[in-house]
Amino acid sequence: MQSSFASRTKVIGNRGTPKLPLFWIAVVSGMASLLIIVAVLQYRWATQLSAATEVRIGSNLQSLMTTWHRDLYNELSTICIALQVGPDSGAHDAWNDYLQRYADWNRIGANHEFAEGVYTNPELIRDIYIWQTSVRVRPNLLRLDPDAKTLENSNVPQELAALLARLQANSSNLGLSLRAWEFRSSSESEDAGGGIQMSSSGFRSDALSGWQFDQNIPAIVHPLVHHGHPFDSNTAVNRRAIDWLVVVLNFQVIQNRILPELAIRHFGDRDGLEYKLAVVATGNRPRLIYSSDSTFGVSDVGNFDSTMRIFGSPPDNVKAEFWQTANHGRVLQGEEWRNFSAPVWFPVIRYTSQEEPWMLIVQHRAGPLEAIATSIRRRNLMTGGIVLLLLTVDMGLIIFASRRAHKLAKLQLDFVASVSHELLTPLAAIYCTGQNVMDGLVQTKTDSIAHGSIITGQARQLIDLVKQILLFASTENGTNRYTLRPLQVLGILQSVRKNVAMLVEGTGFHVEQQVQAGLPYVMGDLPALSQCLQNLLLNAVKYSGRNRWIVISASVHEEENHHKEVRISVQDHGSGISSSELPHIFEPFYRSPKVVDAQIHGTGLGLTVAKRIAEAMGGSLSVTSEVGVGSTFTLHLPVARNSDTEMADRVPELI
């Protein structure tokens, strides 16, 4: 038993790997190359798709930020539109005109009315002043009171001191520009043959002639040129000097109402804000103006998806159009959307060379856009990898199925050849015997008995061959019906030896039987088990060679799960089976090339049928073999239950 176990271990451990034919090597190499190309293309496609997704999200974000900025401008510009500073920069308007317009606008807003389709928001305006720098003695600050509809002299608020001083200084520069403009306009008019006329376009081409924004207060200012004095037309006024309209905005309203409403309007959905937003005044001392989240603010300036400069700087060229809208209406390409400037609606008043612009900072709640794009890329690569893996498995299965089909076709051809040979031999013997009878060579009773014996033996061989093929077909289709009942092991062995006695004795084999005493009953179908063991015995006879000794043994064993089984073994001392052939000996139609070369008769179905019968009985069939020593085939059968055994004792077993 130890030797058998060692030989089995040796067989399993030394299994060889069959070499692939050149054709299949070429096929596998071609498919592997194709998969590598597809994988590279998949990687490039995923990378490009990730980049395109990031650009698409960025472009959409840039569009949202631009429309956000447009609506912010609409909120701030309603008062500018209401005051109606014309293209002549207010040259023909009196102070009371601005006061009346402001009062009307304030009344409409207080009553929640619409004026020409524009909703007014009087809470946005804290104060409106007229800074009279045209007065020769000293500048005068007038405050417009919309409720009392009066113009009041006002002291200069501390927060406006720097702005008003700067405007006063700019008034002189604009006065010089005005004189040069008047001189040029006069020359052009005289050349045209007319008198000196003032163009209605005023200073529209001058950036300082439009509305300008002070980010520190915040406030909006506009120069006023050539006004009639509101109190006394005889008052000495420098008609080439400039006055200023100063609109002081309510910072609290911008911070607590306008900016949150714009955030919800443009970046919100049913689940809240899709992005985190913050408006930050940058510079040496950055300050937070608004944030949609308490954890998102000044410290996140360097960690953003996109930033937009809300108010542009004044143009370098003073003759440039102040209504410039750079990048407006164009989708930003590449990485441009990460940091860009909004259209310049209000040129910003700068006090120093160091800019402190207001910046809109946006970050997606799910994380940076690079992380989102990377996640999409990783998901696409994972999906593509799974598809490639499935494709690889599919190709492998196709190759395996093709090889198996090719191998099966070859085995079937070999089976047809073997069966033809098996059929041809007895048919030839029967034909020759019949020909001898027909030719009159059989004259005595002894000759008749001899020829009859030949015909009977060859016919039996044909019948056994046909039965074997029919039995294989029935096990293949699952049409066999077995009647399982308790059987005695000795009864099974006697039935088998009786069926093969003539063949074994005729070939000079010695069969040794070793049966353990007191073996329990086994569950099985007697004809089927007899056929199974008969196939094993005939296989041992066929491949034993010159050593004509066979051992049939039976013993009971207890498994690890405490279930008992009976093992019936058929051992021969033939040439043995190599380790590379052991995995295939139970396959249909398989015959060892060495056996085929030795011209040993067979169909390759005997062991297949035996294994299928064993499994149908609830057992199994195993083999151990060593080249040059021999082979041992073992039939494992389950032990019958006690109740079945008692019933079998009352019903005699038919042998």
Side-chain angles (χ1 to χ4, degrees):
M1 183 63 67
Q2 184 176 0
S3 175
S4 299
F5 179 78
S7 63
R8 180 184 297 182
T9 305
K10 179 179 179 181
V11 166
I12 295 175
N14 294 333
R15 289 183 180 179
T17 302
K19 295 182 179 180
L20 289 173
L22 293 178
F23 171 76
W24 289 109
I25 293 177
V27 170
V28 172
S29 300
M31 288 187 173
S33 302
L34 179 61
L35 287 174
I36 292 174
I37 294 173
V38 172
V40 172
L41 293 177
Q42 172 73 15
Y43 179 81
R44 293 182 58 185
W45 169 80
T47 303
Q48 293 174 358
L49 181 61
S50 174
T53 301
E54 186 174 354
V55 171
R56 178 181 58 79
I57 296 176
S59 298
N60 181 62
L61 179 59
Q62 178 250 334
S63 177
L64 291 175
M65 296 172 73
T66 303
T67 54
W68 176 93
H69 177 266
R70 181 199 62 197
D71 286 358
L72 175 62
Y73 165 75
N74 290 338
E75 293 279 355
L76 301 182
S77 64
T78 53
I79 185 61
C80 302
I81 298 172
L83 292 175
Q84 299 179 18
V85 182
D88 57 357
S89 295
H92 302 291
D93 292 329
W95 299 156
N96 285 327
D97 296 331
Y98 295 112
L99 176 60
Q100 185 62 42
R101 295 167 190 167
Y102 179 32
D104 293 342
W105 179 82
N106 192 71
R107 175 182 54 79
I108 294 173
N111 295 331
H112 300 284
E113 300 176 4
F114 283 86
E116 297 181 359
V118 178
Y119 177 71
T120 60
N121 185 8
E123 295 180 357
L124 177 62
I125 308 304
R126 197 179 73 187
D127 285 304
I128 295 182
Y129 298 95
I130 292 178
W131 179 230
Q132 290 183 288
T133 59
S134 61
V135 180
R136 293 179 178 178
V137 180
R138 59 177 299 181
N140 186 36
L141 184 64
L142 300 176
R143 178 180 176 273
L144 279 65
D145 187 346
D147 297 326
K149 294 185 179 180
T150 59
L151 293 168
E152 303 172 351
N153 288 315
S154 174
N155 294 326
V156 176
Q158 184 177 359
E159 61 178 346
L160 297 180
L163 171 63
L164 298 181
R166 181 179 181 84
L167 296 180
Q168 183 178 357
N170 284 339
S171 297
S172 301
N173 296 331
L174 285 175
L176 295 175
S177 301
L178 178 60
R179 294 189 188 96
W181 177 85
E182 287 179 337
F183 177 77
R184 183 171 61 254
S185 299
S186 175
S187 300
E188 292 174 354
S189 299
E190 290 176 353
D191 293 341
I196 300 176
Q197 299 179 358
M198 186 174 184
S199 172
S200 63
S201 63
F203 275 87
R204 192 173 187 277
S205 63
D206 190 342
L208 294 180
S209 67
W211 290 100
Q212 304 167 61
F213 187 72
D214 188 304
Q215 299 180 123
N216 298 321
I217 298 175
I220 310 174
V221 302
H222 196 292
L224 302 175
V225 182
H226 287 219
H227 299 283
H229 198 275
F231 301 113
D232 185 2
S233 59
N234 296 323
T235 303
V237 175
N238 183 358
R239 295 183 57 80
R240 291 184 176 85
I242 305 298
D243 295 325
W244 297 89
L245 191 61
V246 180
V247 179
V248 180
L249 303 176
N250 192 329
F251 181 74
Q252 298 298 325
V253 173
I254 295 175
Q255 185 180 47
N256 299 328
R257 198 179 78 180
I258 293 180
L259 293 179
E261 288 178 356
L262 291 176
I264 295 174
R265 186 186 309 167
H266 295 283
F267 297 93
D269 53 23
R270 292 179 298 177
D271 300 327
L273 292 177
E274 184 180 1
Y275 289 87
K276 298 179 182 178
L277 287 85
V279 177
V280 178
T282 59
N284 293 330
R285 293 183 178 181
R287 61 190 177 96
L288 181 65
I289 297 174
Y290 163 75
S291 177
S292 62
D293 295 68
S294 59
T295 59
F296 189 69
V298 176
S299 60
D300 297 287
V301 172
N303 183 22
F304 55 83
D305 289 332
S306 181
T307 62
M308 181 183 69
R309 188 169 182 160
I310 299 175
F311 300 108
S313 301
D316 295 333
N317 182 2
V318 295
K319 292 188 177 182
E321 293 286 344
F322 72 92
W323 291 109
Q324 58 181 307
T325 54
N327 294 327
H328 186 59
R330 180 175 69 88
V331 177
L332 300 181
Q333 303 295 326
E335 297 291 317
E336 295 178 355
W337 54 268
R338 294 192 179 278
N339 193 343
F340 65 98
S341 295
V344 182
W345 303 112
F346 297 117
V348 176
I349 299 174
R350 292 176 56 183
Y351 293 91
T352 63
S353 58
Q354 179 67 33
E355 292 189 83
E356 298 182 359
W358 286 17
M359 305 292 293
L360 173 63
I361 302 172
V362 178
Q363 185 185 71
H364 200 281
R365 290 193 177 277
L369 292 184
E370 295 92 338
I372 297 175
T374 301
S375 176
I376 294 174
R377 175 171 171 267
R378 187 180 296 112
R379 185 169 62 249
N380 290 335
L381 287 176
M382 186 177 299
T383 303
I386 293 174
V387 172
L388 286 177
L389 179 61
L390 293 177
L391 183 60
T392 303
V393 172
D394 189 40
M395 288 183 175
L397 291 176
I398 291 174
I399 293 175
F400 174 77
S402 299
R403 290 198 65 211
R404 186 175 180 84
H406 177 74
K407 182 179 179 181
L408 183 60
K410 185 177 181 302
L411 290 175
Q412 288 176 339
L413 289 176
D414 294 341
F415 168 73
V416 172
S418 299
V419 169
S420 300
H421 188 269
E422 293 293 327
L423 291 173
L424 184 61
T425 301
L427 287 175
I430 293 173
Y431 175 79
C432 292
T433 304
Q435 187 67 37
N436 290 337
V437 174
M438 188 177 64
D439 292 340
L441 298 178
V442 179
Q443 297 178 356
T444 64
K445 184 177 181 180
T446 303
D447 293 337
S448 298
I449 293 174
H451 283 73
S453 177
I454 294 174
I455 293 174
T456 302
Q458 297 300 322
R460 178 180 292 275
Q461 187 175 344
L462 285 174
I463 292 172
D464 291 341
L465 179 60
V466 173
K467 283 184 177 180
Q468 188 79 359
I469 296 174
L470 292 176
L471 183 58
F472 167 75
S474 63
T475 57
E476 181 77 13
N477 298 329
T479 57
N480 270 357
R481 295 294 181 266
Y482 301 108
T483 302
L484 302 182
R485 59 190 183 90
L487 301 174
Q488 291 183 351
V489 177
L490 283 176
I492 299 172
L493 296 181
Q494 290 175 8
S495 175
V496 172
R497 296 191 65 174
K498 179 180 178 181
N499 292 336
V500 298
M502 184 180 297
L503 176 62
V504 172
E505 293 173 359
T507 53
F509 272 87
H510 173 69
V511 178
E512 180 180 344
Q513 184 169 300
Q514 301 174 357
V515 179
Q516 181 179 340
L519 287 178
Y521 284 78
V522 296
M523 293 299 296
D525 182 89
L526 182 58
L529 288 179
S530 299
Q531 182 66 50
C532 175
L533 290 173
Q534 181 177 322
N535 285 1
L536 297 180
L537 273 173
L538 294 178
N539 188 75
V541 170
K542 188 183 299 183
Y543 298 109
S544 290
R546 295 181 179 179
N547 194 326
R548 300 182 178 275
W549 177 78
I550 298 174
V551 177
I552 300 177
S553 59
S555 58
V556 64
H557 295 266
E558 185 173 346
E559 298 296 299
E560 295 179 356
N561 54 7
H562 304 293
H563 290 175
K564 293 182 178 181
E565 69 173 16
V566 172
R567 299 177 183 176
I568 304 175
S569 300
V570 178
Q571 181 181 4
D572 64 64
H573 290 76
S575 57
I577 306 171
S578 65
S579 59
S580 61
E581 295 174 355
L582 271 180
H584 307 289
I585 60 173
F586 294 111
E587 296 177 1
F589 315 123
Y590 178 80
R591 302 195 73 212
S592 170
K594 181 175 64 176
V595 172
V596 175
D597 293 340
Q599 296 184 350
I600 300 176
H601 299 307
T603 60
L605 298 178
L607 292 179
T608 303
V609 171
K611 182 176 179 63
R612 290 180 178 178
I613 292 175
E615 293 173 349
M617 301 297 109
S620 62
L621 184 63
S622 64
V623 59
T624 58
S625 183
E626 187 175 351
V627 176
V629 177
S631 304
T632 301
F633 289 87
T634 302
L635 175 62
H636 304 259
L637 295 174
V639 174
R641 296 176 300 181
N642 293 333
S643 58
D644 296 330
T645 304
E646 293 174 359
M647 184 179 295
D649 291 336
R650 293 194 296 268
V651 179
E653 182 178 346
L654 300 177
I655 304 296

